[in-house]
Amino acid sequence: MHTVTLCNGVAMPAVGYGTWRTPNETVGGLVETAIRAGYRHLDTAAKYANESGVGDGIRACIDQGIVCREDLFVTTKVWNADRGYGRTIRAFETSMQQLGLRTLDLYLIHWPAASQQYDCWKALNTETWRALEDLYKAGRVRAIGVCNFKPHHLLPLLDTCEIAPMVNQIELHPGMTRADEIAFCQENGITVQAWSPLGTGRMVENPEIQAVAARYGRTPAQLCLRWLVQKGVVPLPKSWNAQRMADNLNLWDFKISAEDSAAIDAMPYFGGSGEDPDKVMF
Ligand code: A2P
Protein backbone atom coordinates (compact mmCIF):
# COMPACT_ATOMS: atom_id res chain seq x y z
CA MET A 1 0.00 0.00 0.00
CA HIS A 2 1.46 3.34 -1.06
CA THR A 3 1.38 5.99 1.66
CA VAL A 4 2.03 9.69 2.11
CA THR A 5 3.56 10.99 5.32
CA LEU A 6 1.73 13.74 7.17
CA CYS A 7 3.71 16.60 8.74
CA ASN A 8 3.56 14.86 12.15
CA GLY A 9 5.13 11.68 10.70
CA VAL A 10 1.90 9.62 10.49
CA ALA A 11 1.64 7.49 7.34
CA MET A 12 -1.66 7.80 5.44
CA PRO A 13 -2.56 5.41 2.59
CA ALA A 14 -2.27 7.34 -0.67
CA VAL A 15 -5.82 6.48 -1.86
CA GLY A 16 -8.89 6.30 0.39
CA TYR A 17 -12.40 4.88 0.04
CA GLY A 18 -15.12 7.56 0.17
CA THR A 19 -18.54 6.89 1.69
CA TRP A 20 -20.48 10.15 1.12
CA ARG A 21 -24.10 9.34 0.11
CA THR A 22 -23.67 5.63 0.89
CA PRO A 23 -26.60 4.58 3.12
CA ASN A 24 -25.82 3.14 6.55
CA GLU A 25 -27.66 -0.07 5.61
CA THR A 26 -25.29 -0.86 2.76
CA VAL A 27 -22.02 0.80 3.76
CA GLY A 28 -20.85 -2.05 6.02
CA GLY A 29 -20.84 -4.59 3.19
CA LEU A 30 -19.19 -2.07 0.85
CA VAL A 31 -16.48 -1.26 3.39
CA GLU A 32 -15.81 -4.99 3.72
CA THR A 33 -15.58 -5.30 -0.08
CA ALA A 34 -13.28 -2.27 -0.21
CA ILE A 35 -10.96 -3.69 2.46
CA ARG A 36 -10.88 -7.02 0.60
CA ALA A 37 -10.02 -5.07 -2.58
CA GLY A 38 -7.03 -3.55 -0.77
CA TYR A 39 -8.29 -0.26 0.70
CA ARG A 40 -6.80 0.58 4.08
CA HIS A 41 -8.04 4.18 4.25
CA LEU A 42 -11.74 4.82 4.92
CA ASP A 43 -13.43 8.22 4.92
CA THR A 44 -16.75 8.96 6.61
CA ALA A 45 -18.36 11.88 8.49
CA ALA A 46 -20.99 12.38 11.18
CA LYS A 47 -23.09 14.12 8.51
CA TYR A 48 -23.07 11.05 6.25
CA ALA A 49 -25.12 9.22 8.93
CA ASN A 50 -23.26 5.99 8.13
CA GLU A 51 -20.56 5.82 10.79
CA SER A 52 -22.11 2.81 12.54
CA GLY A 53 -22.24 0.89 9.25
CA VAL A 54 -18.62 1.80 8.51
CA GLY A 55 -17.73 0.50 11.98
CA ASP A 56 -19.63 -2.74 11.28
CA GLY A 57 -17.64 -3.25 8.07
CA ILE A 58 -14.36 -2.63 9.88
CA ARG A 59 -15.26 -5.06 12.68
CA ALA A 60 -16.35 -7.75 10.22
CA CYS A 61 -12.93 -7.56 8.53
CA ILE A 62 -11.06 -7.61 11.85
CA ASP A 63 -13.16 -10.56 13.11
CA GLN A 64 -12.38 -12.51 9.92
CA GLY A 65 -8.65 -11.78 10.31
CA ILE A 66 -8.46 -9.82 7.03
CA VAL A 67 -6.88 -6.79 8.76
CA CYS A 68 -5.95 -5.54 12.21
CA ARG A 69 -7.23 -2.21 13.47
CA GLU A 70 -3.66 -0.83 13.16
CA ASP A 71 -3.66 -1.60 9.41
CA LEU A 72 -6.55 0.80 8.83
CA PHE A 73 -6.61 4.58 8.57
CA VAL A 74 -10.09 5.83 9.55
CA THR A 75 -11.31 9.41 9.13
CA THR A 76 -14.46 11.12 10.34
CA LYS A 77 -15.54 14.77 10.56
CA VAL A 78 -17.33 17.14 12.94
CA TRP A 79 -20.47 18.59 11.36
CA ASN A 80 -21.24 22.31 11.19
CA ALA A 81 -23.99 22.16 13.83
CA ASP A 82 -21.38 20.99 16.35
CA ARG A 83 -18.89 23.81 15.97
CA GLY A 84 -17.35 25.24 19.15
CA TYR A 85 -15.19 23.59 21.80
CA GLY A 86 -17.68 21.65 23.96
CA ARG A 87 -19.97 20.56 21.15
CA THR A 88 -17.02 19.31 19.11
CA ILE A 89 -15.69 17.20 21.98
CA ARG A 90 -19.17 15.67 22.42
CA ALA A 91 -19.55 15.14 18.66
CA PHE A 92 -16.23 13.31 18.63
CA GLU A 93 -17.34 10.94 21.39
CA THR A 94 -20.62 10.28 19.56
CA SER A 95 -18.74 9.50 16.35
CA MET A 96 -16.39 7.15 18.20
CA GLN A 97 -19.38 5.33 19.71
CA GLN A 98 -21.00 5.05 16.29
CA LEU A 99 -17.78 3.73 14.73
CA GLY A 100 -17.07 1.46 17.70
CA LEU A 101 -13.45 2.65 17.83
CA ARG A 102 -11.25 3.73 20.74
CA THR A 103 -8.89 5.90 18.68
CA LEU A 104 -9.32 7.60 15.36
CA ASP A 105 -6.68 8.20 12.68
CA LEU A 106 -7.90 11.54 11.35
CA TYR A 107 -10.54 13.98 12.65
CA LEU A 108 -11.53 16.87 10.38
CA ILE A 109 -13.62 20.04 10.61
CA HIS A 110 -16.16 19.38 7.82
CA TRP A 111 -16.65 22.99 6.61
CA PRO A 112 -15.19 26.30 7.74
CA ALA A 113 -17.42 28.74 9.57
CA ALA A 114 -17.31 31.60 7.08
CA SER A 115 -18.24 35.26 6.74
CA GLN A 116 -21.46 34.74 4.73
CA GLN A 117 -22.98 33.15 7.85
CA TYR A 118 -21.11 34.49 10.89
CA ASP A 119 -19.47 37.76 11.94
CA CYS A 120 -17.40 35.78 14.43
CA TRP A 121 -16.41 33.03 11.97
CA LYS A 122 -12.70 33.20 12.83
CA ALA A 123 -13.33 32.73 16.55
CA LEU A 124 -15.74 29.88 15.84
CA ASN A 125 -13.14 28.04 13.77
CA THR A 126 -10.51 28.71 16.47
CA GLU A 127 -12.75 27.19 19.17
CA THR A 128 -13.63 24.13 17.09
CA TRP A 129 -9.95 23.69 16.28
CA ARG A 130 -8.96 23.96 19.96
CA ALA A 131 -11.13 20.87 20.61
CA LEU A 132 -9.33 18.96 17.85
CA GLU A 133 -5.98 20.01 19.32
CA ASP A 134 -7.00 18.71 22.74
CA LEU A 135 -8.23 15.39 21.29
CA TYR A 136 -4.90 15.09 19.48
CA LYS A 137 -2.89 15.93 22.60
CA ALA A 138 -4.92 13.37 24.58
CA GLY A 139 -4.01 10.68 22.04
CA ARG A 140 -7.61 10.10 20.90
CA VAL A 141 -6.75 10.89 17.29
CA ARG A 142 -3.47 10.45 15.38
CA ALA A 143 -3.91 13.45 13.08
CA ILE A 144 -6.23 16.45 12.77
CA GLY A 145 -7.24 18.69 9.91
CA VAL A 146 -9.93 20.57 8.05
CA CYS A 147 -12.05 20.27 4.92
CA ASN A 148 -13.14 22.85 2.41
CA PHE A 149 -10.89 25.56 3.87
CA LYS A 150 -9.61 28.07 1.31
CA PRO A 151 -6.36 29.93 2.06
CA HIS A 152 -8.33 32.87 3.49
CA HIS A 153 -10.01 30.49 5.96
CA LEU A 154 -6.74 28.76 6.80
CA LEU A 155 -4.67 31.91 7.38
CA PRO A 156 -6.46 33.09 10.56
CA LEU A 157 -6.44 29.52 11.88
CA LEU A 158 -2.71 29.18 11.24
CA ASP A 159 -2.25 32.48 13.14
CA THR A 160 -4.08 31.31 16.26
CA CYS A 161 -3.50 27.55 16.39
CA GLU A 162 -1.07 25.73 18.63
CA ILE A 163 -0.92 22.70 16.29
CA ALA A 164 -1.30 23.36 12.56
CA PRO A 165 -3.77 21.30 10.50
CA MET A 166 -2.14 18.26 8.94
CA VAL A 167 -4.76 17.75 6.21
CA ASN A 168 -7.19 19.81 4.10
CA GLN A 169 -9.83 17.79 2.23
CA ILE A 170 -11.22 19.75 -0.73
CA GLU A 171 -13.17 19.04 -3.91
CA LEU A 172 -10.71 18.38 -6.74
CA HIS A 173 -11.11 16.82 -10.18
CA PRO A 174 -10.47 17.79 -13.79
CA GLY A 175 -12.15 21.14 -14.39
CA MET A 176 -11.53 22.03 -10.74
CA THR A 177 -7.74 22.07 -10.49
CA ARG A 178 -7.31 24.71 -7.72
CA ALA A 179 -3.53 24.85 -8.20
CA ASP A 180 -3.10 27.90 -5.93
CA GLU A 181 -4.95 26.22 -3.07
CA ILE A 182 -2.93 23.00 -3.39
CA ALA A 183 0.30 25.04 -3.46
CA PHE A 184 -0.74 27.06 -0.40
CA CYS A 185 -1.46 23.89 1.58
CA GLN A 186 1.69 22.09 0.51
CA GLU A 187 3.86 25.14 1.31
CA ASN A 188 2.35 25.06 4.80
CA GLY A 189 2.97 21.34 5.32
CA ILE A 190 -0.73 20.48 4.89
CA THR A 191 -1.50 17.29 2.93
CA VAL A 192 -4.36 17.75 0.46
CA GLN A 193 -7.07 15.12 0.08
CA ALA A 194 -9.55 15.21 -2.83
CA TRP A 195 -13.26 14.57 -2.34
CA SER A 196 -15.34 13.67 -5.41
CA PRO A 197 -12.14 13.05 -7.41
CA LEU A 198 -14.30 11.66 -10.24
CA GLY A 199 -16.71 14.62 -10.06
CA THR A 200 -19.33 12.18 -8.71
CA GLY A 201 -18.84 10.17 -11.90
CA ARG A 202 -19.09 13.04 -14.41
CA MET A 203 -15.37 12.99 -15.27
CA VAL A 204 -15.41 9.47 -16.71
CA GLU A 205 -18.01 10.52 -19.32
CA ASN A 206 -15.85 13.35 -20.70
CA PRO A 207 -14.55 12.64 -24.24
CA GLU A 208 -11.23 14.46 -23.66
CA ILE A 209 -10.55 12.46 -20.47
CA GLN A 210 -11.59 9.28 -22.26
CA ALA A 211 -9.21 10.00 -25.18
CA VAL A 212 -6.19 10.67 -22.93
CA ALA A 213 -6.98 7.59 -20.79
CA ALA A 214 -7.20 5.42 -23.91
CA ARG A 215 -3.69 6.51 -24.97
CA TYR A 216 -2.36 5.18 -21.65
CA GLY A 217 -4.49 2.02 -21.85
CA ARG A 218 -6.19 3.08 -18.60
CA THR A 219 -9.75 3.83 -17.55
CA PRO A 220 -10.87 7.47 -17.37
CA ALA A 221 -11.20 7.07 -13.59
CA GLN A 222 -7.62 5.83 -13.27
CA LEU A 223 -6.43 8.81 -15.32
CA CYS A 224 -8.27 11.29 -13.02
CA LEU A 225 -6.95 9.61 -9.87
CA ARG A 226 -3.38 9.32 -11.16
CA TRP A 227 -3.48 13.02 -12.17
CA LEU A 228 -4.20 13.85 -8.50
CA VAL A 229 -1.66 11.38 -7.07
CA GLN A 230 1.07 12.97 -9.21
CA LYS A 231 0.28 16.32 -7.53
CA GLY A 232 0.82 14.74 -4.12
CA VAL A 233 -2.95 14.76 -3.51
CA VAL A 234 -4.72 11.83 -1.79
CA PRO A 235 -7.95 11.00 -3.69
CA LEU A 236 -11.00 9.49 -1.95
CA PRO A 237 -12.98 7.85 -4.77
CA LYS A 238 -16.36 6.25 -4.12
CA SER A 239 -17.64 3.14 -5.84
CA TRP A 240 -20.28 0.55 -4.99
CA ASN A 241 -18.78 -1.88 -7.51
CA ALA A 242 -16.00 -4.30 -6.49
CA GLN A 243 -14.19 -4.24 -9.84
CA ARG A 244 -14.23 -0.43 -10.03
CA MET A 245 -13.06 -0.22 -6.39
CA ALA A 246 -10.06 -2.38 -7.31
CA ASP A 247 -9.39 -0.44 -10.56
CA ASN A 248 -9.36 2.82 -8.60
CA LEU A 249 -6.49 1.51 -6.44
CA ASN A 250 -4.43 0.36 -9.39
CA LEU A 251 -2.59 3.59 -10.19
CA TRP A 252 1.05 2.84 -9.63
CA ASP A 253 2.41 1.39 -12.86
CA PHE A 254 1.88 4.30 -15.24
CA LYS A 255 2.81 7.97 -15.30
CA ILE A 256 0.97 10.84 -16.99
CA SER A 257 3.36 13.03 -19.01
CA ALA A 258 3.88 16.65 -17.98
CA GLU A 259 2.21 17.71 -21.22
CA ASP A 260 -0.92 15.60 -20.67
CA SER A 261 -1.07 16.64 -17.03
CA ALA A 262 -0.93 20.33 -18.05
CA ALA A 263 -3.70 19.73 -20.62
CA ILE A 264 -5.93 18.22 -17.89
CA ASP A 265 -5.04 21.14 -15.58
CA ALA A 266 -6.25 23.56 -18.26
CA MET A 267 -9.66 21.90 -18.81
CA PRO A 268 -12.55 24.29 -18.12
CA TYR A 269 -15.10 23.53 -15.43
CA PHE A 270 -17.48 20.81 -16.62
CA GLY A 271 -19.29 19.74 -13.49
CA GLY A 272 -18.88 19.28 -9.78
CA SER A 273 -20.81 19.64 -6.56
CA GLY A 274 -21.40 23.39 -6.91
CA GLU A 275 -20.72 23.81 -3.19
CA ASP A 276 -18.51 26.84 -2.56
CA PRO A 277 -17.29 27.27 1.06
CA ASP A 278 -17.81 31.05 0.64
CA LYS A 279 -21.45 30.62 -0.44
CA VAL A 280 -22.90 27.59 1.33
CA MET A 281 -25.51 28.39 3.99
CA PHE A 282 -25.42 25.08 5.87
P1 A2P B 1 -20.20 3.15 -9.12
O1 A2P B 1 -20.51 3.17 -7.63
O2 A2P B 1 -21.26 2.50 -9.93
O3 A2P B 1 -18.80 2.62 -9.41
P2 A2P B 1 -16.77 10.42 -6.84
O4 A2P B 1 -15.86 9.52 -6.10
O5 A2P B 1 -16.10 11.51 -7.61
O6 A2P B 1 -17.89 10.98 -6.00
O7 A2P B 1 -17.49 9.53 -7.96
C1 A2P B 1 -18.35 8.46 -7.58
C2 A2P B 1 -19.08 7.99 -8.81
O8 A2P B 1 -18.15 7.53 -9.78
C3 A2P B 1 -20.01 6.86 -8.52
O9 A2P B 1 -21.21 7.11 -9.24
C4 A2P B 1 -19.30 5.64 -9.09
O10 A2P B 1 -20.21 4.70 -9.59
C5 A2P B 1 -18.47 6.22 -10.20
N1 A2P B 1 -17.22 5.49 -10.37
C6 A2P B 1 -16.34 5.17 -9.41
N2 A2P B 1 -15.27 4.52 -9.91
C7 A2P B 1 -15.50 4.42 -11.23
C8 A2P B 1 -14.78 3.85 -12.31
N3 A2P B 1 -13.61 3.25 -12.10
N4 A2P B 1 -15.32 3.93 -13.54
C9 A2P B 1 -16.51 4.52 -13.75
N5 A2P B 1 -17.24 5.09 -12.78
C10 A2P B 1 -16.74 5.05 -11.53
Side-chain angles (χ1 to χ4, degrees):
M1 170 54 66
H2 291 253
T3 59
V4 300
T5 304
L6 304 181
C7 63
N8 64 343
V10 166
M12 178 168 76
V15 179
Y17 180 66
T19 66
W20 181 39
R21 289 182 172 154
T22 305
N24 198 48
E25 300 71 49
T26 50
V27 76
L30 289 166
V31 162
E32 188 176 334
T33 306
I35 291 173
R36 285 181 184 279
Y39 286 85
R40 295 293 177 266
H41 176 170
L42 307 164
D43 182 90
T44 181
K47 184 62 178 174
Y48 301 171
N50 62 14
E51 291 170 307
S52 69
V54 169
D56 290 344
I58 291 171
R59 260 185 313 284
C61 289
I62 293 173
D63 290 348
Q64 294 171 73
I66 301 167
V67 284
C68 307
R69 168 66 186 93
E70 298 71 38
D71 299 331
L72 297 175
F73 189 98
V74 183
T75 302
T76 193
K77 314 182 188 92
V78 54
W79 182 241
N80 303 353
D82 288 319
R83 290 179 179 127
Y85 185 89
R87 293 189 75 106
T88 296
I89 298 281
R90 286 193 290 279
F92 176 82
E93 297 303 345
T94 303
S95 284
M96 296 303 279
Q97 268 170 18
Q98 291 288 314
L99 284 162
L101 298 178
R102 273 194 299 274
T103 56
L104 190 68
D105 297 282
L106 179 62
Y107 199 41
L108 302 173
I109 298 180
H110 207 145
W111 288 86
S115 61
Q116 75 275 17
Q117 274 188 295
Y118 300 100
D119 291 335
C120 61
W121 62 275
K122 292 180 192 172
L124 200 45
N125 288 331
T126 298
E127 281 304 283
T128 309
W129 185 251
R130 205 163 57 79
L132 268 64
E133 288 177 328
D134 280 355
L135 292 165
Y136 179 72
K137 286 191 258 181
R140 302 297 309 281
V141 53
R142 297 171 65 226
I144 50 177
V146 297
C147 308
N148 303 303
F149 274 53
K150 294 185 182 181
H152 65 265
H153 303 118
L154 275 168
L155 276 167
L157 193 66
L158 290 171
D159 272 351
T160 54
C161 67
E162 188 183 333
I163 302 166
M166 292 140 204
V167 168
N168 188 14
Q169 185 183 122
I170 60 178
E171 181 179 4
L172 286 173
H173 44 72
M176 197 182 263
T177 299
R178 305 174 78 173
D180 293 351
E181 294 181 42
I182 295 174
F184 177 88
C185 288
Q186 292 179 345
E187 281 158 17
N188 284 282
I190 301 170
T191 298
V192 177
Q193 296 180 327
W195 62 265
S196 278
L198 308 174
T200 57
R202 297 276 303 279
M203 303 299 115
V204 303
E205 297 158 6
N206 180 280
E208 195 176 333
I209 294 289
Q210 288 173 347
V212 181
R215 276 199 278 110
Y216 287 90
R218 296 292 161 156
T219 68
Q222 286 170 327
L223 181 82
C224 294
L225 299 171
R226 177 74 202 187
W227 172 74
L228 290 165
V229 160
Q230 285 184 205
K231 296 175 185 299
V233 170
V234 174
L236 306 169
K238 299 186 281 295
S239 179
W240 294 359
N241 173 283
Q243 184 58 54
R244 288 193 284 278
M245 284 180 195
D247 288 349
N248 294 349
L249 274 184
N250 184 12
L251 309 175
W252 306 103
D253 59 353
F254 76 111
K255 189 168 186 304
I256 305 171
S257 71
E259 194 185 359
D260 285 332
S261 214
I264 302 171
D265 288 354
M267 287 177 75
Y269 183 79
F270 58 96
S273 76
E275 287 171 341
D276 181 338
D278 285 321
K279 296 197 178 116
V280 295
M281 294 305 284
F282 48 74

